[in-house]
Amino acid sequence: MAQMHDEDTLAFYDREAAAYAARKRGEPTRLHRFLEQLRPRARILELGCGGGQDAELMDAAGFDVTPTDGSAGLAAQAQARLGRPVRVMRFEELDEVGAYDGVWANACLLHVPENGLADVLTRIHRALKPGGRFNAGFKAGDGGGRDSLGRYYNFPTEESLRKAYGAAGDWAALELTAGQGGGFDGVMREWWFVDAVK
């Protein structure tokens, strides 16, 4: 079975959960665009919810969001912010079928080992209802490696991302957009933002 998480990366987020959850974030423009394309009160699965900021916004907008994170430390931070349970769930534990109108996976699938990414995307494809929307962001590159903080990243090319998504199932639409962004390590990088519709 392909590896779908990196233990050292999860351990980093457990150790740094309070600092990571407290960081200042920019305007969540991509999240707003994602939500605008969903029906009111749509059911959304959030993978890698971090400190719960995006789930808080989705809650406030009236969506039925299920926040999850693979780090118990971050899930606890999100639970404190949201005032409700947050499931500790690794990507390989996603086993629902046709359950969600949307999956929001902001800056989390970029930690999936390269050989496990297609398997994780397959699980997400299966969990979506027909017509469901899926948004994810990846730090661009030419193959996996670690940042200065020891976190693993898959650093995909456009070609490798398209191949992984293609292996996951049939998508009615798949759009990759290049952009720039920072991170907890303070380094600006090129990103790939992926919008998919089942």
Side-chain angles (χ1 to χ4, degrees):
M1 182 175 168
Q3 189 178 354
M4 298 187 215
H5 66 272
D6 178 73
E7 291 290 354
D8 291 342
T9 302
L10 285 176
F12 170 87
Y13 285 114
D14 281 341
R15 284 193 311 272
E16 300 294 331
Y20 187 83
R23 76 198 194 288
K24 294 290 183 193
R25 300 181 61 201
E27 175 63 26
T29 307
R30 281 179 44 247
L31 177 57
H32 287 304
R33 279 200 301 264
F34 174 73
L35 296 178
E36 285 167 2
Q37 297 169 329
L38 297 174
R39 63 173 176 77
R41 295 178 296 284
R43 189 168 185 223
I44 301 170
L45 171 65
E46 183 178 14
L47 298 172
C49 71
Q53 293 94 333
D54 288 352
E56 186 175 48
L57 190 152
M58 289 187 268
D59 277 345
F63 291 94
D64 177 11
V65 59
T66 300
T68 68
D69 203 285
S71 159
L74 282 176
Q77 292 289 324
Q79 189 163 304
R81 176 185 291 273
L82 299 171
R84 63 187 180 90
V86 172
R87 181 179 172 193
V88 178
M89 184 183 80
R90 295 180 176 186
F91 302 127
E92 59 265 34
E93 295 175 299
L94 176 59
D95 59 4
E96 292 166 287
V97 178
Y100 297 101
D101 301 294
V103 174
W104 178 248
N106 183 45
C108 65
L109 300 182
L110 42 63
H111 293 306
V112 176
E114 291 166 282
N115 69 350
L117 184 57
D119 288 345
V120 172
L121 295 174
T122 298
R123 289 173 178 274
I124 292 168
H125 185 276
R126 192 170 56 221
L128 282 166
K129 297 176 183 177
R133 306 194 75 93
F134 166 36
N135 188 286
F138 299 84
K139 292 185 179 183
D142 58 4
R146 296 193 182 271
D147 68 2
S148 62
L149 302 175
R151 298 176 296 175
Y152 174 85
Y153 287 86
N154 45 39
F155 293 130
T157 62
E158 178 178 4
E159 181 183 8
S160 68
L161 265 183
R162 288 190 182 279
K163 183 177 179 183
Y165 273 78
D170 292 327
W171 301 96
L174 181 66
E175 181 181 352
L176 275 70
T177 306
Q180 281 203 321
F184 193 59
D185 61 357
V187 176
M188 289 296 291
R189 292 189 62 101
E190 296 293 320
W191 284 68
W192 287 113
F193 300 109
V194 188
D195 289 291
V197 180
K198 181 174 178 179

